Amino acid sequence: MYNKLMGCLKSVREKTDFVPEVAVILGSGLGEFANEIEIVDTISYNDIEGFPVSTVKGHAGRFVFGYVEKTPVVIMQGRVHYYEGYPMQDVVLPTRLMGMMGAKKILLTNAAGGANENFKPGDLMIITDHITTGVPSPLIGPNLEELGTRFPDMSETYSKRLQTVIEVCAKEFDIEMQKGVYVQFTGPNYETPAEVRLAQIWGGDAVGMSTAVEAMVANHMGIEVAGISCITNMAAGISKVQLDHKEVQETADRVAENFKKLVAKVIVNM
Ligand code: HPA
């Protein structure tokens, strides 16, 4: 796996010598932000040898390199999901690769279902912690000693410092933030009402199909992690209507302006 990562890094370095400070992964329906930064370079995932390529509609599938004010960033416009059929190590390869490009901090974003009944569609949630019980750990297999330790601590996977940064930035724009625990399921199906009740009993506030495993490998290699969920719908059983991707997209579109403002501010201040 480390050789595969080094191969991907070599492939990237043949195309750009850009060194990011911050990495960003843009979630479903939130990818437009990448078009608004001062772009220096882009690399399509197809052009990186050995890189897993996303198949979901609405995921552009490229790295965007550039600046938000003075901060050098690499943005993943479109991520790789476990439900696409890749081994979990491939799902988290891009996160590790951005770390190997030089990123010291990462902002993870996603669309998620609200499991906390006090939430409403359109809310933005600061991820304070996560639960991945039910999805395989991306750290299973030989440990990549070059990146981190065999038994990494996960007691502050989402940096408290960065949680405060997000809160302060949101306040400046008068954007109200929720806070909570993200529960990752495999997807691609939405959860059953019973699974959402399980997530609630576990202490979960939002459910989704990504992010937590990325946070784990970032944490493993010493990258400071921040996470924001866009609550695009209430989760199954709470929502009175059947779930479909169109609702997710529509809510993401509705909050896009606030989301983009917030993400830009957070990047500059993290
Ligand atoms: N469940 C899982 N993932 C999601 C949801 C949901 O309700 N909404 C957006 N992504």
Side-chain angles (χ1 to χ4, degrees), residues 28 110-114 182-183 185 187-191 196 206-210 230-236 243-245 248:
S28 195
N110 60 47
Y182 179 89
V183 184
F185 288 97
N189 52 285
Y190 292 112
E191 300 72 26
V196 172
V207 291
M209 309 174 191
S210 65
C230 172
I231 306 298
T232 50
N233 56 279
M234 294 312 290
L243 304 185
D244 76 90
H245 189 64
V248 170

Side-chain angles (χ1 to χ4, degrees), residues 198-265:
L198 178 68
Q200 290 173 325
I201 291 165
W202 276 349
D205 299 287
V207 291
M209 309 174 191
S210 65
T211 306
V213 293
E214 298 157 352
M216 288 169 77
V217 294
N219 195 69
H220 174 246
M221 66 190 294
I223 301 172
E224 198 179 7
V225 179
I228 302 174
S229 288
C230 172
I231 306 298
T232 50
N233 56 279
M234 294 312 290
I238 304 173
S239 172
K240 298 292 168 263
V241 295
Q242 290 200 355
L243 304 185
D244 76 90
H245 189 64
K246 202 161 145 257
E247 183 190 359
V248 170
Q249 188 69 50
E250 280 168 4
T251 308
D253 287 346
R254 178 159 63 79
V255 301
E257 284 314 309
N258 267 353
F259 175 82
K260 286 189 283 191
K261 269 196 316 202
L262 179 63
V263 166
K265 187 121 200 134

Side-chain angles (χ1 to χ4, degrees), residues 106-123:
I106 189 164
L107 174 59
L108 303 170
T109 71
N110 60 47
N116 183 324
E117 302 191 22
N118 296 319
F119 290 3
K120 55 185 187 313
D123 279 352

Side-chain angles (χ1 to χ4, degrees), residues 171-193:
K171 215 165 256 165
E172 277 188 44
F173 293 126
D174 261 330
I175 299 171
E176 227 183 289
M177 298 298 287
Q178 303 285 5
K179 278 190 195 181
V181 172
Y182 179 89
V183 184
Q184 181 170 353
F185 288 97
T186 66
N189 52 285
Y190 292 112
E191 300 72 26
T192 63

Side-chain angles (χ1 to χ4, degrees), residues 14-261:
E14 280 163 8
K15 295 169 183 75
T16 182
D17 55 8
F18 192 91
V19 176
E21 182 186 328
V22 173
V24 181
I25 302 184
L26 295 174
S28 195
L30 305 168
E32 208 198 310
F33 172 76
N35 303 326
E36 298 188 1
I37 71 163
E38 187 194 323
I39 297 176
V40 172
D41 245 320
T42 64
I43 301 179
S44 168
Y45 299 157
N46 295 309
D47 296 336
I48 303 170
E49 221 179 281
F51 197 92
V53 178
S54 176
T55 55
V56 184
K57 243 173 65 185
H59 289 249
R62 59 178 192 163
F63 283 120
V64 176
F65 301 88
Y67 290 89
V68 179
E69 292 182 26
K70 288 192 174 61
T71 307
V73 295
V74 54
I75 301 178
M76 283 187 78
Q77 204 173 22
R79 59 152 56 87
V80 181
H81 297 88
Y82 185 56
Y83 60 70
E84 291 173 73
Y86 300 105
M88 192 55 101
Q89 269 108 339
D90 279 357
V91 173
V92 296
L93 178 148
T95 303
R96 286 173 155 162
L97 183 57
M98 293 191 291
M100 290 165 74
M101 291 177 203
K104 301 280 178 273
K105 295 165 255 184
I106 189 164
L107 174 59
L108 303 170
T109 71
N110 60 47
N116 183 324
E117 302 191 22
N118 296 319
F119 290 3
K120 55 185 187 313
D123 279 352
L124 296 175
M125 182 188 91
I126 300 171
I127 303 177
T128 57
D129 204 348
H130 72 221
I131 294 169
T132 58
T133 310
V135 303
S137 168
L139 300 171
I140 289 173
N143 184 48
L144 304 188
E145 291 294 332
E146 297 88 346
L147 301 184
T149 180
R150 171 77 288 187
F151 300 109
D153 174 72
M154 292 281 154
S155 55
E156 195 184 315
T157 311
Y158 300 84
S159 152
K160 289 208 169 75
R161 184 185 76 81
L162 292 179
Q163 290 178 46
T164 305
V165 168
I166 299 171
E167 261 186 316
V168 170
C169 292
K171 215 165 256 165
E172 277 188 44
F173 293 126
D174 261 330
I175 299 171
E176 227 183 289
M177 298 298 287
Q178 303 285 5
K179 278 190 195 181
V181 172
Y182 179 89
V183 184
Q184 181 170 353
F185 288 97
T186 66
N189 52 285
Y190 292 112
E191 300 72 26
T192 63
E195 287 165 339
V196 172
R197 285 198 300 277
L198 178 68
Q200 290 173 325
I201 291 165
W202 276 349
D205 299 287
V207 291
M209 309 174 191
S210 65
T211 306
V213 293
E214 298 157 352
M216 288 169 77
V217 294
N219 195 69
H220 174 246
M221 66 190 294
I223 301 172
E224 198 179 7
V225 179
I228 302 174
S229 288
C230 172
I231 306 298
T232 50
N233 56 279
M234 294 312 290
I238 304 173
S239 172
K240 298 292 168 263
V241 295
Q242 290 200 355
L243 304 185
D244 76 90
H245 189 64
K246 202 161 145 257
E247 183 190 359
V248 170
Q249 188 69 50
E250 280 168 4
T251 308
D253 287 346
R254 178 159 63 79
V255 301
E257 284 314 309
N258 267 353
F259 175 82
K260 286 189 283 191
K261 269 196 316 202

